[in-house]
Amino acid sequence: MAERSFAKEVQDLRLTEGEIFRGEGILALTKALLQSGVAYVAGYQGSPISHLMDVLADAKDVLDELGVHFESSASEAAAAATLSASVMYPLRGAVTWKSTAGTNVASDALTNLASSGVNGGALIILGEDYGEGSSIPQERSHAFAMKSQIWLLDPRPNLESIVKSVEDGFALSEASHTPVMLQVRIRACHVHGHFVAKANKPPPFPLREALEQPRRDVDRVVLPPASMLQDRQKLQERWPAAVEYIRTHRLNEFFGPAAGDVGIILQGGMYNSVIRALQYLGLADAYGETAVPLYVLNVTYPLVDGEVAAFCAGKRAVLMVEEGHPAYLEQAVGMVLRQHGLSATLAGKDVLPLGGDYTAAVLTKGIDTFLAAHARPLLGNRAPPPNADAVLMTPEVKELATVVPPRPAGFCIGCPERPIFAAMKLVEKELGPHHISSDIGCHLFSILPPFNLGGTTMGYGLAGASASAFNVPAGKKPISVLGDGGFWHNGLTSSVGNAVFNKQDQVILIVDNFYSAATGGQDILSSRATSDTRSTKHSIVQAVKGIGAGWVRQIERTYDVGRMRDTLKEALTSTEPGPKVIVASSECMLNRQRREKPLFNRAVKDGRRMVKERFGVDEDVCTGDHACIRLSGCPSLSVKETDDPLRDDPVASIDNSCVGCGNCGEVAEAAVLCPSFYRAEIIHNPSLRDRLLSRVRSAVIGFLQRRRDRRRIVFG
């Protein structure tokens, strides 16, 4: 189950001509697709675009009414290949994934798609994940657009612009016979607003008709000599057609005065932050009225040289606001200035950071520096804005570092992956450290304290492949860890299949938590839940055995630390040739809580007897060893001081966020419950028997406590 349901919100997708649509960016994107007559949509989930897949899944009834086909793809490559339907047929198709991680995977299909060109509009919606909050290497989609000559849209982050960019993207794709990328940053994905809706359009050319009346054009097949002609078409036909469409339909925008000594060229996605920065400098208002001319690139590739030159003409200096590196746009604008003989000074990465998130604070500092050098009168007598770096260096702020502890990313409370790595640490204590190849997913948190495991990560599902070089005789085996999402995405063939084929002597640990948990809890092939729209409950164990893995073990409850430890030890000491595969299964606790809590609360409200397990620590028994914490790291497990004057060390303590998984107690003595841990049952709507038992227990415990207190008085 996905982490969020859009069952209520998707009803607004039925809004028709003239009605007001209110919601967030993801929903606006979906509505725009339906208004544009899209015939099919595919994709793979990944932040910040995951919810688009969830919205489309929840909107199945709406899509079915319009005859729109939607499916969750096995990978971004599978999604990109879906766009081949638009090569021969006048079908509008859209795909989506997280960029640039997903674009890396999809690049082979995109290269062929861009070469052959399209008849129908082909739109690739990219969740651009760049900046401080990114979970991937700091790369940009712009490089892929340039490499394959795919046009790149970067709309202003408001719902009207986002919706218009979808419509423009399809039209631009059809006018130039070229696929189009539409990048939306996290702020655009989740920005809230409204726009005037249009009626949804069924695809004018249905998929059924394409199947019943197949078409074939050998010139669009990527095969020499056609591929040579396609490359010529890119330069001589498609590029000029795209530039002309962008220019005549005014996809880029101009704001502010028509003339001025200076101006700012910016990516569309940077518009809100630039306006906010100009507000801080007293040069814009809350409605976007600005004293500085702005040229907003809603299309960042290709550039319209004539527009760039016209904007820069007569200006003393121009600032290029381009988030990310390298400075592709700055270099391109510089080339336009030179070719048109314009003398305007071009600023960019000299006053703005080379990389990182361009927040309003960062832009304020950079724009202030630019204006101070080239248009000082615009700033008036205003004092310069505070230097954020200087604030961070003040003694008061630096003192916080000694008070506030660091908080690295980590596993959720009750995460079933935590005991896996606790067991691995126990094996490490006995057999020594091993080389561990990690993968993309929640299990990557094992590289951080308290586990400190894992050495490299090379891509989704590639953990086993990244250990391939270590297939040499040695006293130890390499270990690779990948999740069930990565396994089905790429790992079955690239990691397990590759290891089987090359008879690799490595241990492959597959963490099976029933969902693609790291991307938001979407179902996958091995999900245990029944789905009306997807085929689930396919065994990972059967899959790896089906491609030739001989040594395979499955652990159905990862919280059994002792069994996990023993199975890992067995795999690492086995003399059997070929890879040793361990499938460690337990449901993602976050998804389990999302599923069970509403049911539990409803049952309590209905008056049914319900029992919730909780764990605690007996302060009198706890020795202060803290092994439970060292091998767990659970956020609900902490320490607390006692009132006992004879004890210096704090004891372990469990707070109210505990979900009762029992992991902390098991790891304390390697699967033997530590005597200081106790399990309590909280009973809602107790029966008469429960009440009587509680009274008896309270009486017995009270009697024993009073007797202990009397003995303390006598012998004290």
Side-chain angles (χ1 to χ4, degrees):
M1 59 180 291
E3 67 180 8
R4 179 180 171 188
S5 171
F6 290 88
K8 180 180 178 181
E9 290 92 334
V10 296
Q11 299 309 313
D12 290 341
L13 296 176
R14 290 190 169 92
L15 293 178
T16 188
E17 195 76 36
E19 295 184 291
I20 303 300
F21 186 102
R22 292 180 173 84
E24 62 179 309
I26 290 289
L27 289 158
L29 278 168
T30 312
K31 175 61 174 166
L33 290 172
L34 302 183
Q35 293 178 175
S36 300
V38 70
Y40 62 95
V41 189
Y44 192 86
Q45 61 274 357
S47 174
I49 207 73
S50 289
H51 287 331
L52 180 54
M53 298 295 293
D54 299 333
V55 168
L56 289 163
D58 287 339
K60 183 179 185 302
D61 291 345
V62 182
L63 300 182
D64 288 347
E65 291 168 8
L66 294 168
V68 178
H69 175 68
F70 164 70
E71 65 178 47
S72 296
S73 307
S75 69
E76 297 86 355
T82 306
L83 289 173
S84 67
S86 296
V87 172
M88 298 293 177
Y89 306 96
L91 292 164
R92 286 189 166 184
V95 295
T96 181
W97 55 71
K98 173 192 185 81
S99 189
T100 56
T103 315
N104 283 331
V105 177
S107 59
D108 193 10
L110 292 180
T111 296
N112 285 276
L113 181 73
S115 181
S116 64
V118 294
N119 267 314
L123 190 65
I124 304 150
I125 302 174
L126 303 174
E128 191 79 349
D129 192 10
Y130 189 89
E132 296 295 328
S134 174
S135 61
I136 58 169
Q138 296 292 278
E139 293 186 356
R140 298 166 55 195
S141 303
H142 201 101
F144 288 95
M146 294 170 64
K147 175 187 76 68
S148 297
Q149 195 169 309
I150 298 174
W151 316 137
L152 180 62
L153 307 187
D154 188 359
R156 290 189 293 131
N158 65 71
L159 264 55
E160 288 184 345
S161 295
I162 292 170
V163 170
K164 183 177 182 298
S165 71
V166 172
E167 298 167 347
D168 289 340
F170 280 124
L172 175 61
S173 177
E174 291 166 344
S176 60
H177 298 293
T178 302
V180 171
M181 288 179 170
L182 168 63
Q183 70 172 56
V184 281
R185 297 169 175 80
I186 188 168
R187 294 180 182 89
C189 288
H190 301 298
V191 67
H192 281 252
H194 67 275
F195 64 94
V196 179
K198 298 177 183 177
N200 294 334
K201 297 178 183 176
F205 186 83
L207 287 162
R208 182 188 65 258
E209 186 173 337
L211 283 172
E212 294 173 352
Q213 301 178 30
R215 302 179 183 180
R216 180 172 174 272
D217 182 355
V218 71
D219 290 337
R220 290 197 178 276
V221 178
V222 186
L223 181 72
S227 55
M228 302 299 106
L229 297 174
Q230 291 163 9
D231 190 61
R232 190 180 305 165
Q233 284 178 346
K234 278 186 177 183
L235 301 175
Q236 298 177 357
E237 299 176 20
R238 298 183 203 167
W239 188 306
V243 170
E244 180 63 17
Y245 187 91
I246 296 164
R247 185 185 64 81
T248 57
H249 291 80
R250 300 181 180 179
L251 301 193
N252 297 319
E253 298 174 285
F254 298 88
F255 296 94
D261 289 338
V262 296
I264 300 176
I265 304 175
L266 60 141
Q267 296 162 306
M270 290 287 98
Y271 176 80
N272 290 5
S273 297
V274 168
I275 288 294
R276 180 59 59 86
L278 290 172
Q279 278 184 263
Y280 291 154
L281 295 170
L283 298 172
D285 62 21
Y287 302 98
E289 293 296 328
T290 169
V292 180
L294 303 181
Y295 175 36
V296 181
L297 298 174
N298 292 314
V299 184
T300 55
Y301 184 78
L303 289 181
V304 181
D305 291 1
E307 284 186 356
V308 176
F311 179 78
C312 296
K315 290 184 172 57
R316 182 185 305 120
V318 176
L319 173 65
M320 180 68 240
V321 176
E322 176 181 11
E323 185 178 58
H325 60 84
Y328 298 118
L329 289 171
E330 187 176 339
Q331 293 167 8
V333 170
M335 180 68 73
V336 172
L337 294 177
R338 185 183 67 81
Q339 289 178 340
H340 286 76
L342 298 174
S343 60
T345 299
L346 178 62
K349 299 295 184 183
D350 53 339
V351 296
L352 289 166
L354 294 176
D357 196 3
Y358 276 12
T359 62
V362 169
L363 289 171
T364 301
K365 180 180 176 182
I367 294 173
D368 180 75
T369 303
F370 168 73
L371 294 177
H374 302 286
R376 183 67 201 180
L378 280 174
L379 296 174
N381 295 321
R382 183 194 52 79
N387 188 328
D389 295 333
V391 172
L392 293 175
M393 296 305 293
T394 59
E396 295 82 2
V397 175
K398 292 174 71 174
E399 180 66 21
L400 288 174
T402 64
V403 179
V404 181
R407 188 185 178 192
F411 297 106
C412 299
I413 293 171
C415 177
E417 301 188 22
R418 198 184 302 276
I420 295 173
F421 298 106
M424 199 172 289
K425 290 297 287 186
L426 292 170
V427 173
E428 182 183 83
K429 186 176 181 181
E430 187 174 349
L431 300 181
H434 289 71
H435 174 84
I436 301 174
S437 297
S438 302
D439 206 279
I440 304 298
C442 298
H443 43 275
L444 194 55
F445 295 138
S446 64
I447 69 171
L448 301 172
F451 303 112
N452 302 303
L453 295 165
T456 57
T457 175
M458 299 305 294
Y460 205 26
L462 296 177
S466 61
S468 297
F470 300 103
N471 187 29
V472 295
K476 291 181 180 178
K477 297 178 175 65
I479 303 173
S480 57
V481 183
L482 66 155
D484 45 1
F487 171 80
W488 291 115
H489 179 277
N490 199 8
L492 177 60
T493 53
S494 296
S495 283
V496 181
N498 183 62
V500 170
F501 180 70
N502 289 292
K503 298 182 178 180
Q504 293 177 2
D505 187 20
Q506 68 159 301
V507 176
I508 301 176
L509 175 61
I510 302 169
V511 181
D512 171 26
N513 49 31
F514 305 2
Y515 312 94
S516 183
T519 60
Q522 292 82 8
D523 283 327
I524 51 178
L525 277 163
S526 52
S527 293
R528 308 293 177 94
T530 300
S531 174
D532 295 332
T533 58
R534 298 182 178 96
S535 179
T536 56
K537 301 182 181 180
H538 297 283
S539 168
I540 294 177
V541 170
Q542 290 182 13
V544 297
K545 287 183 176 179
I547 59 171
W551 196 105
V552 183
R553 304 286 186 272
Q554 181 165 28
I555 297 174
E556 276 291 348
R557 182 175 174 272
T558 62
Y559 298 102
D560 189 343
V561 180
R563 189 178 174 204
M564 276 297 317
R565 175 200 59 197
D566 295 342
T567 305
L568 277 166
K569 184 178 177 181
E570 179 189 357
L572 289 168
T573 57
S574 172
T575 58
E576 185 174 328
K580 269 62 70 175
V581 181
I582 302 172
V583 181
S585 306
S586 272
E587 183 178 11
C588 166
M589 184 57 73
L590 205 59
N591 260 43
R592 180 179 172 184
Q593 293 296 311
R594 291 192 193 106
R595 177 171 53 82
E596 292 184 349
K597 272 187 176 181
L599 300 176
F600 186 94
N601 294 336
R602 193 177 305 126
V604 171
K605 186 177 180 180
D606 293 342
R608 290 162 51 193
R609 178 184 182 274
M610 299 297 293
V611 180
K612 180 180 291 185
E613 288 187 349
R614 293 289 300 277
F615 284 79
V617 177
D618 189 327
E619 296 181 12
D620 293 331
V621 180
C622 178
T623 64
D625 171 69
H626 302 156
C628 52
I629 297 175
R630 290 196 301 274
L631 287 175
S632 170
C634 180
S636 69
L637 193 59
S638 185
V639 294
K640 95 176 185 182
E641 299 290 342
T642 68
D643 297 328
D644 189 343
L646 301 178
R647 302 186 64 169
D648 295 328
D649 296 330
V651 296
S653 175
I654 300 176
D655 65 29
N656 288 330
S657 62
C658 172
V659 295
C661 70
N663 175 58
C664 50
E666 294 210 20
V667 301
E669 291 294 336
V672 177
L673 193 64
C674 175
S676 66
F677 282 85
Y678 63 83
R679 186 186 67 185
E681 292 183 347
I682 302 172
I683 303 176
H684 297 264
N685 303 317
S687 64
L688 178 61
R689 180 174 178 274
D690 293 325
R691 297 178 187 277
L692 289 174
L693 278 174
S694 177
R695 290 175 185 173
V696 171
R697 288 167 179 160
S698 297
V700 172
I701 293 172
F703 168 75
L704 294 174
Q705 287 176 332
R706 289 190 296 273
R707 187 178 68 173
R708 181 193 61 183
D709 292 340
R710 287 195 300 269
R711 288 182 175 179
R712 283 180 176 175
I713 294 172
V714 172
F715 298 105

Short mmCIF file of all heavy atoms in Angstrom, two decimals, residues 216-243:
data_model
loop_
_atom_site.label_atom_id
_atom_site.label_comp_id
_atom_site.label_asym_id
_atom_site.label_seq_id
_atom_site.Cartn_x
_atom_site.Cartn_y
_atom_site.Cartn_z
N ARG A 216 3.68 0.83 -40.16
CA ARG A 216 5.11 0.53 -40.20
C ARG A 216 5.81 1.55 -41.08
O ARG A 216 5.39 1.80 -42.21
CB ARG A 216 5.34 -0.88 -40.74
CG ARG A 216 6.80 -1.31 -40.83
CD ARG A 216 6.87 -2.79 -41.19
NE ARG A 216 8.25 -3.21 -41.41
CZ ARG A 216 8.88 -3.13 -42.59
NH1 ARG A 216 8.23 -2.65 -43.64
NH2 ARG A 216 10.12 -3.52 -42.70
N ASP A 217 6.84 2.19 -40.52
CA ASP A 217 7.63 3.15 -41.28
C ASP A 217 9.10 2.82 -41.03
O ASP A 217 9.65 3.10 -39.97
CB ASP A 217 7.31 4.58 -40.82
CG ASP A 217 8.08 5.63 -41.62
OD1 ASP A 217 8.92 5.25 -42.46
OD2 ASP A 217 7.83 6.83 -41.40
N VAL A 218 9.75 2.21 -42.02
CA VAL A 218 11.12 1.74 -41.83
C VAL A 218 12.08 2.89 -41.58
O VAL A 218 13.13 2.72 -40.95
CB VAL A 218 11.56 0.91 -43.06
CG1 VAL A 218 11.75 1.81 -44.28
CG2 VAL A 218 12.84 0.14 -42.75
N ASP A 219 11.71 4.10 -42.00
CA ASP A 219 12.59 5.24 -41.77
C ASP A 219 12.66 5.64 -40.30
O ASP A 219 13.54 6.40 -39.91
CB ASP A 219 12.12 6.45 -42.60
CG ASP A 219 12.36 6.24 -44.09
OD1 ASP A 219 13.24 5.43 -44.43
OD2 ASP A 219 11.67 6.89 -44.90
N ARG A 220 11.72 5.14 -39.51
CA ARG A 220 11.73 5.47 -38.08
C ARG A 220 12.34 4.35 -37.23
O ARG A 220 12.36 4.46 -36.01
CB ARG A 220 10.31 5.77 -37.59
CG ARG A 220 9.76 7.08 -38.12
CD ARG A 220 8.57 7.56 -37.32
NE ARG A 220 8.07 8.85 -37.81
CZ ARG A 220 8.55 10.02 -37.44
NH1 ARG A 220 9.57 10.07 -36.59
NH2 ARG A 220 8.05 11.14 -37.92
N VAL A 221 12.82 3.33 -37.86
CA VAL A 221 13.51 2.26 -37.13
C VAL A 221 14.98 2.65 -37.00
O VAL A 221 15.61 3.07 -37.99
CB VAL A 221 13.37 0.91 -37.86
CG1 VAL A 221 14.14 -0.17 -37.10
CG2 VAL A 221 11.90 0.54 -37.99
N VAL A 222 15.53 2.52 -35.79
CA VAL A 222 16.92 2.93 -35.56
C VAL A 222 17.85 1.84 -36.08
O VAL A 222 18.31 0.96 -35.35
CB VAL A 222 17.18 3.21 -34.07
CG1 VAL A 222 18.59 3.79 -33.88
CG2 VAL A 222 16.14 4.19 -33.53
N LEU A 223 18.09 1.90 -37.38
CA LEU A 223 18.94 0.92 -38.05
C LEU A 223 19.58 1.61 -39.25
O LEU A 223 18.89 2.28 -40.02
CB LEU A 223 18.09 -0.27 -38.52
CG LEU A 223 18.82 -1.42 -39.22
CD1 LEU A 223 19.66 -2.20 -38.20
CD2 LEU A 223 17.81 -2.35 -39.89
N PRO A 224 20.89 1.50 -39.40
CA PRO A 224 21.54 2.14 -40.56
C PRO A 224 20.93 1.63 -41.86
O PRO A 224 20.59 0.43 -41.95
CB PRO A 224 23.01 1.72 -40.43
CG PRO A 224 23.17 1.37 -38.99
CD PRO A 224 21.86 0.81 -38.55
N PRO A 225 20.75 2.46 -42.86
CA PRO A 225 21.16 3.87 -42.93
C PRO A 225 20.14 4.85 -42.35
O PRO A 225 20.39 6.05 -42.32
CB PRO A 225 21.33 4.10 -44.43
CG PRO A 225 20.25 3.23 -45.03
CD PRO A 225 20.21 1.99 -44.16
N ALA A 226 18.95 4.33 -41.91
CA ALA A 226 17.92 5.24 -41.42
C ALA A 226 18.41 6.07 -40.24
O ALA A 226 18.07 7.24 -40.10
CB ALA A 226 16.68 4.44 -41.01
N SER A 227 19.24 5.46 -39.37
CA SER A 227 19.72 6.18 -38.18
C SER A 227 20.58 7.39 -38.56
O SER A 227 20.61 8.40 -37.85
CB SER A 227 20.49 5.24 -37.26
OG SER A 227 21.54 4.60 -37.97
N MET A 228 21.28 7.29 -39.71
CA MET A 228 22.07 8.43 -40.18
C MET A 228 21.14 9.56 -40.66
O MET A 228 21.39 10.74 -40.40
CB MET A 228 22.98 8.00 -41.34
CG MET A 228 23.95 6.87 -41.00
SD MET A 228 25.11 7.29 -39.68
CE MET A 228 24.42 6.31 -38.32
N LEU A 229 20.07 9.18 -41.33
CA LEU A 229 19.10 10.17 -41.79
C LEU A 229 18.39 10.81 -40.60
O LEU A 229 18.07 12.01 -40.63
CB LEU A 229 18.08 9.51 -42.73
CG LEU A 229 18.63 8.94 -44.04
CD1 LEU A 229 17.54 8.20 -44.80
CD2 LEU A 229 19.21 10.06 -44.90
N GLN A 230 18.13 10.03 -39.57
CA GLN A 230 17.46 10.56 -38.37
C GLN A 230 18.33 11.61 -37.69
O GLN A 230 17.82 12.63 -37.20
CB GLN A 230 17.15 9.41 -37.40
CG GLN A 230 16.08 8.46 -37.91
CD GLN A 230 16.07 7.13 -37.18
OE1 GLN A 230 16.77 6.96 -36.17
NE2 GLN A 230 15.29 6.19 -37.66
N ASP A 231 19.62 11.38 -37.67
CA ASP A 231 20.52 12.36 -37.06
C ASP A 231 20.50 13.66 -37.85
O ASP A 231 20.54 14.76 -37.28
CB ASP A 231 21.94 11.79 -36.99
CG ASP A 231 22.86 12.66 -36.14
OD1 ASP A 231 22.57 12.82 -34.93
OD2 ASP A 231 23.85 13.18 -36.67
N ARG A 232 20.42 13.56 -39.17
CA ARG A 232 20.35 14.75 -40.02
C ARG A 232 19.03 15.49 -39.78
O ARG A 232 18.97 16.71 -39.75
CB ARG A 232 20.50 14.34 -41.48
CG ARG A 232 20.68 15.52 -42.44
CD ARG A 232 20.82 15.02 -43.86
NE ARG A 232 21.91 14.04 -43.99
CZ ARG A 232 22.08 13.25 -45.03
NH1 ARG A 232 21.22 13.29 -46.04
NH2 ARG A 232 23.10 12.39 -45.06
N GLN A 233 17.95 14.70 -39.61
CA GLN A 233 16.65 15.31 -39.33
C GLN A 233 16.68 16.10 -38.02
O GLN A 233 16.07 17.17 -37.92
CB GLN A 233 15.57 14.22 -39.23
CG GLN A 233 15.14 13.65 -40.56
CD GLN A 233 14.10 12.56 -40.37
OE1 GLN A 233 13.89 12.06 -39.27
NE2 GLN A 233 13.45 12.19 -41.47
N LYS A 234 17.39 15.57 -37.02
CA LYS A 234 17.49 16.27 -35.74
C LYS A 234 17.99 17.69 -35.94
O LYS A 234 17.45 18.64 -35.37
CB LYS A 234 18.46 15.53 -34.80
CG LYS A 234 17.89 14.35 -34.06
CD LYS A 234 18.95 13.84 -33.09
CE LYS A 234 18.44 12.69 -32.24
NZ LYS A 234 19.45 12.25 -31.24
N LEU A 235 19.03 17.84 -36.74
CA LEU A 235 19.69 19.13 -36.90
C LEU A 235 18.99 20.03 -37.91
O LEU A 235 18.90 21.24 -37.71
CB LEU A 235 21.15 18.92 -37.32
CG LEU A 235 22.02 18.10 -36.35
CD1 LEU A 235 23.40 17.87 -36.95
CD2 LEU A 235 22.14 18.81 -35.02
N GLN A 236 18.50 19.45 -38.99
CA GLN A 236 17.99 20.26 -40.10
C GLN A 236 16.49 20.49 -40.05
O GLN A 236 15.99 21.46 -40.63
CB GLN A 236 18.36 19.60 -41.43
CG GLN A 236 19.87 19.49 -41.67
CD GLN A 236 20.20 18.78 -42.97
OE1 GLN A 236 19.31 18.31 -43.69
NE2 GLN A 236 21.49 18.69 -43.29
N GLU A 237 15.77 19.63 -39.35
CA GLU A 237 14.30 19.76 -39.34
C GLU A 237 13.74 19.92 -37.92
O GLU A 237 13.00 20.89 -37.65
CB GLU A 237 13.66 18.53 -40.00
CG GLU A 237 14.06 18.35 -41.46
CD GLU A 237 13.50 17.07 -42.05
OE1 GLU A 237 12.52 16.53 -41.49
OE2 GLU A 237 14.06 16.58 -43.05
N ARG A 238 14.08 19.01 -37.03
CA ARG A 238 13.44 19.01 -35.71
C ARG A 238 13.86 20.20 -34.87
O ARG A 238 13.02 20.83 -34.22
CB ARG A 238 13.74 17.70 -34.98
CG ARG A 238 13.22 16.46 -35.68
CD ARG A 238 13.49 15.23 -34.85
NE ARG A 238 13.52 14.02 -35.66
CZ ARG A 238 13.99 12.85 -35.24
NH1 ARG A 238 14.49 12.75 -34.01
NH2 ARG A 238 13.97 11.79 -36.02
N TRP A 239 15.15 20.50 -34.82
CA TRP A 239 15.63 21.62 -34.02
C TRP A 239 15.01 22.95 -34.49
O TRP A 239 14.44 23.68 -33.68
CB TRP A 239 17.16 21.68 -34.07
CG TRP A 239 17.78 22.69 -33.13
CD1 TRP A 239 17.50 24.02 -33.05
CD2 TRP A 239 18.76 22.44 -32.14
NE1 TRP A 239 18.25 24.62 -32.07
CE2 TRP A 239 19.04 23.67 -31.50
CE3 TRP A 239 19.46 21.30 -31.74
CZ2 TRP A 239 19.97 23.80 -30.47
CZ3 TRP A 239 20.40 21.42 -30.71
CH2 TRP A 239 20.64 22.64 -30.09
N PRO A 240 15.11 23.29 -35.79
CA PRO A 240 14.48 24.55 -36.23
C PRO A 240 12.98 24.58 -35.96
O PRO A 240 12.42 25.64 -35.60
CB PRO A 240 14.77 24.58 -37.73
CG PRO A 240 15.99 23.72 -37.90
CD PRO A 240 15.85 22.64 -36.89
N ALA A 241 12.31 23.44 -36.10
CA ALA A 241 10.86 23.40 -35.84
C ALA A 241 10.57 23.68 -34.38
O ALA A 241 9.60 24.39 -34.04
CB ALA A 241 10.30 22.03 -36.24
N ALA A 242 11.39 23.14 -33.48
CA ALA A 242 11.20 23.37 -32.06
C ALA A 242 11.42 24.83 -31.70
O ALA A 242 10.63 25.45 -30.98
CB ALA A 242 12.14 22.47 -31.25
N VAL A 243 12.51 25.41 -32.20
CA VAL A 243 12.83 26.81 -31.91
C VAL A 243 11.70 27.72 -32.41
O VAL A 243 11.28 28.65 -31.72
CB VAL A 243 14.18 27.20 -32.54
CG1 VAL A 243 14.39 28.71 -32.46
CG2 VAL A 243 15.31 26.47 -31.84
#
